[in-house]
Amino acid sequence: PARQRRLSNVEYERTVQEWLDVDVALADRLPPDVRQNGFSRNSEEPVVSAFATRIASLASEVATLAVARSSPRWKCTNDARTCATELVEREAPRALRRPLEASERARLVDLYVSAEEVEPGSGARWLVTALLQSPSFLYVSERGAPTTLPGRRRLDSFEIASVLSYTIRGGPPDDALLDAARRGALTRGSARQEQARRLLAQSSTRHHFRRFVLEWLEVDQLERTAKVPDVATHYEDLKPRMLAETSAFVDEVMVNRGASIASLLDGGFSSVDPKLARFYDFDAWGPRVDSRRAGRVGLLQQASFLAAHAHPDSSSPVKRGDFVLRRLLCINLPRPQELDIEVSIPTPDHSLTTRERFSAHQANTSCRTCHDSIDALGFTFESFDAAGKKRNLENGRAIDTKSHFE
């Protein structure tokens, strides 16, 4: 649908960094993204007052830093209006990712001149501050123009450039992509494909791919989870190591293994440091350790995923099975509250395994309808405990990972 989508916090940070060539951390200093289906895509997120206030403060801070660090880029020896015109013509189209309209150009030039009159030498700082808060900076336009086909719109070349770049690499279009837009080349499918492949080949694209996978796996919030000491005595120390393993694994798949689903789910290697290797009972550590012998073949056997989809004190066949249905098989079963079902987690019993406790779902016809599918998938992960450690026994009883799907 035709829309304008606000940049996510990470996209805003990257856009600022790439335009101004400054290494500033902004994403974590902004109000959290409102997610859609688990992803920080911001497809339904407006600029609310809290966000606008924070952006205004950060814009002033970043503008002061950028102008001070790259002073030759922002200095001009001509009169104020000439300098303003030169800077606006050079910098504003890069910031807004499209050509300027005449009214925009005039307002920005007037802003620069007015600032210089009040405080000589402040024009560039105020210009950058204004651009960092501009709606055209904050939003990616996907509105297009009407076509002869009812309900269909066609994006212009600069909209295509932005959609391509933010979709593929999570950042603004570079000079080559903007140049292709100016030449009208992006109206051809072959040119769009050529640009897409060029962007995919860039090293920085792996950061966007990594973020997508972490959000898809629902592990990017792992740092907020906790486990009881009986499950993992050093869990707080292990959490960043688990995320580092998954991030390094995803980077390797993106850069050297075709960025395929098959490699993500069945790569057969791990990137672990000595402490995580001991947790896994690996006999080696490093960037590409063979993990198959230890029963870990890909993302779904990594501790980050297993710990994120478990309870603080026990594994969760429901959380893990539900993930597989929703995120891998695209099957969205109704939530219990939608069916007026009161959720009751089986009482811990140290004489039973988790699978035996959750057999209660089979005794309740209202639960069984959905849990026949959910639990069958979730039980296949029962050889990993709540922190993702491998196990053969639970409460002294043998683990059963068979699924009736087999």
Side-chain angles (χ1 to χ4, degrees):
R3 64 177 182 176
Q4 288 203 150
R5 178 183 68 80
R6 204 195 82 194
L7 297 178
S8 71
N9 292 349
V10 170
E11 289 172 331
Y12 182 82
E13 178 183 278
R14 290 197 64 183
T15 304
V16 171
Q17 290 174 342
E18 294 187 22
W19 171 43
L20 296 175
D21 194 25
V22 291
D23 185 15
V24 290
L26 301 174
D28 291 337
R29 300 173 64 187
L30 291 166
D33 293 312
V34 176
R35 300 196 177 197
Q36 289 84 49
N37 195 29
F39 293 98
S40 54
R41 183 72 173 146
N42 277 354
S43 59
E44 300 169 8
E45 183 70 353
V47 173
V48 296
S49 58
F51 184 87
T53 301
R54 194 69 183 129
I55 282 287
S57 175
L58 291 176
S60 177
E61 177 186 324
V62 170
T64 301
L65 175 68
V67 172
R69 285 189 178 179
S70 305
S71 55
R73 174 178 174 180
W74 303 100
K75 279 189 176 178
C76 179
T77 58
N78 294 318
D79 64 274
R81 188 160 293 276
T82 302
C83 287
T85 302
E86 290 176 0
L87 285 177
V88 168
E89 290 285 0
R90 186 182 74 223
E91 297 292 341
R94 293 181 61 193
L96 305 185
R97 309 175 292 276
R98 59 167 175 76
L100 290 176
E101 297 176 0
S103 59
E104 292 175 315
R105 184 183 298 104
R107 287 198 302 271
L108 290 170
V109 169
D110 288 345
L111 171 66
Y112 182 101
V113 172
S114 298
E116 287 290 325
E117 291 173 351
V118 174
E119 181 186 354
S122 68
R125 174 165 54 84
W126 279 103
L127 174 64
V128 174
T129 302
L131 287 170
L132 291 176
Q133 300 173 80
S134 166
S136 292
F137 190 94
L138 290 170
Y139 282 82
V140 178
S141 173
E142 301 173 14
R143 291 180 302 173
T147 68
T148 55
L149 297 174
R152 299 295 183 91
R153 303 176 73 88
R154 186 184 302 278
L155 301 186
D156 69 32
S157 293
F158 292 94
E159 288 176 317
I160 292 171
S162 285
V163 170
L164 268 178
S165 190
Y166 282 108
T167 299
I168 292 172
R169 58 183 296 272
D174 59 15
D175 290 341
L177 193 53
L178 289 175
D179 181 62
R182 290 188 194 95
R183 293 184 283 105
L186 298 180
T187 57
R188 302 193 312 273
S190 59
R192 293 194 295 272
Q193 183 181 108
E194 180 183 349
Q195 290 291 337
R197 292 186 180 279
R198 182 181 66 82
L199 296 175
L200 281 169
Q202 293 180 355
S203 175
S204 61
T205 298
R206 74 184 189 280
H207 299 295
H208 187 52
F209 184 79
R210 180 200 305 168
R211 183 172 184 80
F212 167 78
V213 173
L214 293 180
E215 291 184 359
W216 171 55
L217 281 180
E218 301 172 348
V219 304
D220 59 310
Q221 303 296 313
L222 184 69
E223 290 282 11
R224 300 182 181 181
T225 64
K227 304 295 176 185
V228 298
D230 290 347
V231 170
T233 55
H234 302 290
Y235 185 64
E236 291 302 312
D237 181 47
L238 288 169
K239 285 189 293 187
R241 302 173 192 278
M242 293 173 179
L243 283 173
E245 175 200 15
T246 301
S247 296
F249 176 85
V250 172
D251 284 356
E252 173 67 15
V253 169
M254 171 67 187
V255 175
N256 297 316
R257 305 199 179 207
S260 69
I261 291 291
S263 293
L264 287 172
L265 298 181
D266 192 29
F269 72 94
S270 290
S271 301
V272 293
D273 65 10
K275 287 190 176 181
L276 192 58
R278 285 195 295 272
F279 177 78
Y280 280 166
D281 293 324
F282 285 176
D283 55 10
W285 60 276
R288 294 177 185 82
V289 176
D290 183 355
S291 61
R292 290 187 187 279
R293 290 178 298 172
R296 299 179 188 269
V297 298
L299 284 174
L300 300 190
Q301 291 80 38
Q302 292 181 1
S304 62
F305 167 78
L306 295 162
H309 296 83
H311 298 300
D313 59 348
S314 63
S315 65
S316 176
V318 174
K319 287 177 178 285
R320 293 168 179 177
D322 180 63
F323 171 88
V324 173
L325 283 171
R326 289 185 296 105
R327 293 300 215 191
L328 293 181
L329 304 181
C330 301
I331 298 173
N332 291 305
L333 296 177
R335 304 290 93 181
Q337 56 270 27
E338 297 174 34
L339 301 174
D340 293 325
I341 296 175
E342 184 177 348
V343 176
S344 177
I345 298 175
T347 304
D349 184 339
H350 295 299
S351 67
L352 301 174
T353 65
T354 300
R355 181 168 191 148
E356 289 169 335
R357 288 167 50 220
F358 276 76
S359 64
H361 287 150
Q362 300 302 310
N364 188 320
T365 54
S366 61
C367 296
R368 189 171 61 224
T369 303
C370 292
H371 282 278
D372 269 350
S373 300
I374 296 172
D375 294 1
L377 291 167
F379 289 144
T380 65
F381 295 95
E382 276 301 287
S383 56
F384 302 98
D385 69 11
K389 191 171 181 63
K390 200 85 164 63
R391 63 181 180 178
N392 297 313
L393 299 173
E394 182 184 10
N395 296 330
R397 300 170 68 87
I399 294 291
D400 180 3
T401 63
K402 293 189 297 295
S403 167
H404 66 65
F405 287 136
E406 298 174 349

